[in-house]
Structures are given as C-alpha cells and as structure tokens.
Amino acid sequence: MLPSGGMAPSAGAGSGGSAQPGGAGVGLPSGGAGAANQAGMAGSGPLAGGSPNGGTGGLVTGGDTGGGGGGAVDPTLLPAVTLHLAGDSTVMTYAADSLQEGWGQELPQFLLAKVTIDNQALGGSSVKTFYAGRWQTILENLHSGDYVAAAFGANDSGTVEGRHVEPPEFQATFAKMADEVRAKQATFIAVTPSALQQWSGGVEGNQRLEPYVTVLHSFDETSDVKLVDLNARSVEFLNQIGQEAAKQIYINGDKAHFTKKGATQMAQFVAQELARVGSPLGDYVK
C-alpha cells in the first residue's frame, strides 16, 4: 500500500511566464553526476565554479553527460523551438516574490536562448487532473518541431480524492500523451518525479514514488520516448548531501517543494539528463 498524503495546490503563478533570472548555486557538499541509471548515478567530483550567465555556480555538476548537447552541434545552426512543460507544483512557475520555486522556472538558464519555455505546470496536479485540464491548452498551442516534457508522480502517489492514480493508469496516461504529441509531429519527453524527502536512519528512500518511476522506465524499453530520470538523480543527490543539508533545498522542511536553490539544482539535473539520454533537445543544453 502506498503511503498516504497528496500535495496541496500551491499559491503562485500557475502557467507560462519566463523564468526568474540568475540561479545562484546550491553551495552544498560535492558529488558530481556521472551517467544515471534506474538505480541512480555514480561518480563524484568538485563543485562547479561557474559564472552567473552559466547558472552553474555552486551546483553539483555532471561529468561527461553523453548524448547531444554541450556544444555537440553549432548552436547557430539550431532552429528556435518551444518546450511545453506539464507538471505539478515541483515544476511550476511561481510569483516573483515567492520563496518557493519549481524547477521549470529555473530551467531556461541551462538552455540556449533559442528555447522558449511554456510552463503550464500547476500545483496540486496529478497526471489525471492535468490531462483533464491544462493538457488541452498544451495541445492547442503545440506545433510541429515543439517539445513537451511531462513530470508527475507526487500527487498521483498520494491519497487525496480525485488526484490519486494507480501506476497502470499513470503509465497509460503518459503513453496517451506521448501519442497525442507525436500526432502533432512534436517530441514527447517523460520526466520521473523529483524525490520526496523520505529519510530513515539518515538514508533517503523512494518507496512512495518507486512504483511510478518503474512504469515510466517502460518508455526506455518499448518506445522512442526519451526518459529524463530526475528521480534517480535527486535521490542520489539527497544521499550525497545528507538530511541536514537537504533543508537548504526543500522549503521550510517540506517533503516536496523547493527553494530557489533546490529548484535550480533540479533544473540542472533535467538539463544534464536531456543531454545524457540523447534527446534532440540535448543539443540546446549550454
């Protein structure tokens, strides 16, 4: 049985909008990112020095991210594209005066300016409620050559009435979304949910989200959909920095929601994963 509890809708801007500038680093203990897999990632390394424009100062950096991106092609030859984000409060864009952020609003600093981000993520969403609501907005604005990245799981795995989704339905809805995006000649990207704080004996667990992460890995095995494994990256990151340091990235000790530092770190992981898995969007990663 899955643990109880969903994520309440969060205050703030629920759609679109440009990211807040900057993206100061997390400044947490080291641990670079190697190639991630279902079990997590391996490797360690120093923190990046970075520059304000690069947006990586103080963040845990990847080594060889693999796949496209990071100068794999001449950026001047890349066409302008739009990335539509579907997700919950861990992804959404918040008001400028909010201390809470979603990783979607910090993602632009890790991508070339040729990428326009349409962040439709909304607090309190599960894949079921989003599909019944804002998903139609994404489809209406979707054009050939666009990208759609979808990240759910926190509310799906809870028990709030109307939001809970069992893993088989979770998987089926993602597959339906992928088909609808493909029909528009656009590219769908599945993103596993960022870690919920589940500490036991100083170790971060993943019991609540694991069934949802597992079914999303089917995309790696059965389709052309690229899977960004933010869950593996974030779980390992928490185990690298420890429970005390994690207080810097989750706002007010919350189990799911991020400070600016946390949102920035998750956004960097997403960008690194886009390059690692060989997504065409990886060519746009700085």
Side-chain angles (χ1 to χ4, degrees), residues 49-188:
S51 65
N53 291 335
T56 57
L59 295 176
V60 176
T61 62
D64 179 8
T65 52
V73 298
D74 183 350
T76 64
L77 301 179
L78 293 170
V81 296
T82 298
L83 169 61
H84 306 267
L85 298 180
D88 54 31
S89 55
T90 65
V91 185
M92 67 180 278
T93 296
Y94 290 80
D97 61 350
S98 175
L99 297 179
Q100 180 173 315
E101 290 195 2
W103 58 256
Q105 74 189 85
E106 291 292 349
L107 187 58
Q109 65 182 291
F110 299 107
L111 302 177
L112 298 177
K114 288 189 172 185
V115 181
T116 298
I117 293 183
D118 170 32
N119 191 353
Q120 290 291 328
L122 178 65
S125 297
S126 65
V127 71
K128 176 172 65 176
T129 63
F130 193 92
Y131 186 82
R134 289 199 175 186
W135 182 246
Q136 190 58 42
T137 299
I138 289 179
L139 290 181
E140 289 171 355
N141 293 310
L142 191 61
H143 298 95
S144 175
D146 284 359
Y147 294 83
V148 179
F152 295 96
N155 295 298
D156 309 74
S157 61
T159 58
V160 175
E161 185 176 356
R163 297 184 201 168
H164 178 76
V165 179
E166 288 292 324
E169 181 185 356
F170 184 80
Q171 180 184 34
T173 306
F174 264 81
K176 186 188 303 183
M177 293 162 74
D179 287 343
E180 292 174 351
V181 169
R182 192 179 293 110
K184 289 266 193 169
Q185 296 183 319
T187 301
F188 184 75

Side-chain angles (χ1 to χ4, degrees), residues 153-154 157 193-196 198 206-214 231:
S157 61
S194 54
L196 300 176
Q198 289 186 288
N206 200 37
Q207 294 88 349
R208 174 168 159 174
L209 293 176
E210 187 172 14
Y212 298 83
V213 173
T214 298
N231 182 263

